[in-house]
Amino acid sequence: ANCRMEKVYLFDVISKMYIATDSFPVDLYSYELCTDLIDMVIDVSCIYGMGSDENYNSAFDSKSSSITRLDNGLILYLREIDH
């Protein structure tokens, strides 16, 4: 199957470690962009999406997602998947 994505990672959000990737070699630049995106989504969720009784670990949940378009044309897509 072809998803037409340039690079795909499966991340553990809390540790920012990738668990799996596609068959193409890991690109440090795309990996760093992804970890920065995870930080951004968690930061925004902490500010705007969490209730007062929630902790940092619940900042990213099944309703969290982000689509970010960069100046160089790259699109970063992040979303939660079930375990």
Side-chain angles (χ1 to χ4, degrees):
N2 186 351
C3 66
R4 297 182 352 172
M5 293 185 180
E6 194 171 311
K7 185 69 183 159
V8 177
Y9 293 98
L10 178 63
F11 275 91
D12 173 64
V13 172
I14 301 301
S15 69
K16 289 182 266 180
M17 298 282 293
Y18 73 91
I19 299 166
T21 188
D22 56 22
S23 60
F24 294 105
V26 173
D27 172 31
L28 187 59
Y29 176 71
S30 66
Y31 171 79
E32 289 175 348
L33 282 173
C34 291
T35 59
D36 289 345
L37 178 62
I38 291 170
D39 285 338
M40 180 196 68
V41 170
I42 289 174
D43 290 347
V44 170
S45 295
C46 286
I47 294 168
Y48 298 106
M50 293 176 52
S52 59
D53 60 337
E54 295 178 285
N55 64 30
Y56 177 81
N57 290 337
S58 64
F60 193 86
D61 61 20
S62 62
K63 297 177 188 169
S64 298
S65 67
S66 173
I67 299 174
T68 306
R69 182 182 303 269
L70 304 177
D71 288 341
N72 63 3
L74 279 177
I75 297 173
L76 302 175
Y77 176 67
L78 178 131
R79 88 176 166 96
E80 172 73 14
I81 60 171
D82 292 331
H83 298 63

